[in-house]
Amino acid sequence: MGSDDAAAIPPVTSRTDSGGFNTSDGTIYVSKPFRSRASKRLRALVTFTPRNSHFDINNARSGTNEFRGFFSLFWISIFIFMVRTYIASWESHGSPLNLQFATLLSRDAMTLAISDAVLVGSTALCVPFAKAISKGWIRYYWTGVVIQHTFQTTVLFIAVKWTFNRQWPWVQSGFLTLHSLVMIMKMHSYMSVNGYLQHVTEQSQQLLDTLRKATRRVGGWDQAIIDASARRAEFDASTNGSSSAGPSPVATPPIPNGTQGSYMDADDASVLRKRLLAASVESQRDTKFVSDNKKAVPSPAEPHPLVDHPDEEISDLAKEYSELQGELRSPGPEYVVWPNNISLKNFAVYQLIPTLVYELEYPRTDRIRPLYVFEKTVATFGTFALLYSVTETLILPRCPTAGDSFLRALLDLSLPFMLAYLLLFYIIFECICNAFAELSYFADRQFYDDWWNSVSWDEFSRKWNKPVHTFLLRHVYASTMASYKLSRSSAMFITFLLSACVHELVMVVVTQKIRMYLFLMQLIQIPLIAISRTPFIRDNKLLGNVVFWLGLYAGFPLLCVAYVAY
């Protein structure tokens, strides 16, 4: 993190009692200047503590939200409604549920479980691929890229073909197809990141060779190091002489567990702190770094010594080399260096972590809380029971046929589908993702944002499914702009086009029909996004939110009626 990052800080909402800065994404701490044992330069530690998900009972901010009572009211209302539904079913049919849907769910369950296990196991082939890349046996650009996409396409083709051959119901077919897409995104990110880092390594080595050649005209490599060290010493002496802040602590402070951290120059840290203070809406106290973790941690990578060389060309080459080396090392606290990350254990942990974007290192917690896992497990099965009941009693009996009234079908299915969507969202992003995050020691639990306050469809697409949004942002949107020099609007169109194709593929597998309804509805979002950015809509947030909810209410039953009846 440097001065450029300081200029792009998120809005500060408040200050913590420990001197941190609360932002929309988490809490930022900026330490006082210190001197590491490896270098006499003044530096500072910046740490970022990610927030919990909105509905997590451990989220202090959600616990103090003025609308928190509506969360309890929702679940109580759903419970009372379902009890009433069970009683009415008992009085009419002699049982609370007829379990017809359960028979559908359990059909060919063992084959589905084995198929899914084979799918997950096949992803381990990414590890030998990454090993071959790191050893230089395969050049990622472009041989590795071709192998990677061929493998991903093969996995998807086999999964789709298998579901058609088994003639599974829509539940089993949809599950295996969606899980295949998740595994493909994980594989794509893993192989792409490791392939890119091979490219960075090659560039770094070429740059180092150029740097060595450049030092020949100033007396050779050793003399250049001596000159750079002397200039660094002069600069430190002048800095110490002009400093009035008193002695600075010596030794690198550790990064607390569950946080993301990076080290920066003291001057950059001072700029960041001032901007955070200026953006803060509360007290203006000096920040202080608080940490209960006293364990020693590995040291971060130091800049190349030649960055201080008086020759501008040598200094610039050394700075560029240091930046490339920084890409090959995680920001801490473990400071994993590529290719030391490539192993079956690392890949297995990555598969458990509920994220679709591979990193050398993730923010981690220090322990697994059994009661937390138990809570999420119970919540998963309890919410699934409610989802099953809604589907069995409110959706399946109302599924339309070709002769039914189109508008009546939309009206009958709008509320049940909205309930099913909310329950399914809660199961996936609050229960399952948090449970896997806890089991994998993953600290960043921001799997969704406050999508219910969205005023446009692009805001909804950014907030409701953060893992997929992050994947598309990095590996589709940003990648197409970098690789093909596309404009932002063109890259956005490519991203929406790919997303629309994938959504339609799922519907083709589930319904075994090619209708393109969902594909068109996905692409319609592009002009809707443009409309939502007009001043009239943008400045009227209430209107935008109402339009968003009406569209969501109409969208689910519209898809059901279109694919089932037509």
Side-chain angles (χ1 to χ4, degrees), residues 36-179:
S36 65
R37 299 188 186 278
S39 171
K40 297 303 182 183
R41 298 175 60 182
L42 278 173
R43 310 179 74 195
L45 172 64
V46 178
T47 55
F48 172 76
T49 303
R51 67 182 182 182
N52 294 319
S53 56
H54 282 273
F55 297 124
D56 196 320
I57 61 175
N58 297 299
N59 189 337
R61 294 178 61 190
S62 296
T64 58
N65 188 284
E66 59 268 28
F67 295 105
R68 62 189 180 278
F70 282 97
F71 180 73
S72 303
L73 176 63
F74 171 81
W75 288 111
I76 293 173
S77 302
I78 288 292
F79 177 77
I80 293 175
F81 176 75
M82 295 316 304
V83 169
R84 176 189 173 280
T85 302
Y86 296 151
I87 293 175
S89 177
W90 182 276
E91 292 173 347
S92 301
H93 307 97
S95 63
L97 293 171
N98 61 24
L99 301 181
Q100 181 180 355
F101 187 41
T103 304
L104 187 70
L105 285 174
S106 60
R107 176 180 164 185
D108 216 7
M110 184 57 67
T111 303
L112 176 64
I114 295 174
S115 302
D116 193 56
V118 172
L119 168 67
V120 175
S122 66
T123 63
L125 293 175
C126 295
V127 179
F129 173 84
K131 280 286 187 183
I133 290 290
S134 65
K135 298 291 185 182
W137 300 337
I138 301 174
R139 290 182 62 87
Y140 182 70
Y141 297 112
W142 292 93
T143 304
V145 171
V146 172
I147 295 174
Q148 170 187 337
H149 286 85
T150 302
F151 176 54
Q152 293 170 185
T153 304
T154 302
V155 170
L156 181 61
F157 176 80
I158 292 175
V160 172
K161 181 69 174 176
W162 180 246
T163 58
F164 276 101
N165 289 344
R166 297 300 303 178
Q167 292 295 306
W168 276 329
W170 62 271
V171 179
Q172 289 86 332
S173 299
F175 169 78
L176 189 65
T177 304
L178 288 172
H179 202 203

Side-chain angles (χ1 to χ4, degrees), residues 476-478 480-482 484-495:
V476 181
Y477 179 79
T480 52
M481 285 198 299
Y484 304 106
K485 309 302 180 184
L486 296 181
S487 63
R488 294 179 61 183
S489 58
S490 298
M492 184 184 73
F493 175 76
I494 294 296
T495 303

Side-chain angles (χ1 to χ4, degrees), residues 395 398-401 405-418 421 457 504 507 511 513 515-522 524-525 528 549-566:
I395 294 180
R398 292 175 170 82
C399 282
T401 60
S405 169
F406 181 79
L407 293 178
R408 180 59 186 270
L410 291 182
L411 187 63
D412 289 342
L413 289 172
S414 58
L415 183 59
F417 262 109
M418 181 56 66
Y421 169 74
W457 288 106
E504 184 61 33
M507 295 306 298
T511 64
K513 300 177 181 178
R515 294 294 186 267
M516 306 300 289
Y517 299 137
L518 184 54
F519 176 83
L520 294 175
M521 289 182 68
Q522 286 283 110
I524 288 175
Q525 293 184 47
L528 290 178
W549 275 111
L550 289 176
L552 205 60
Y553 254 111
F556 296 125
L558 182 61
L559 287 174
C560 176
V561 173
Y563 278 100
V564 172
Y566 301 98

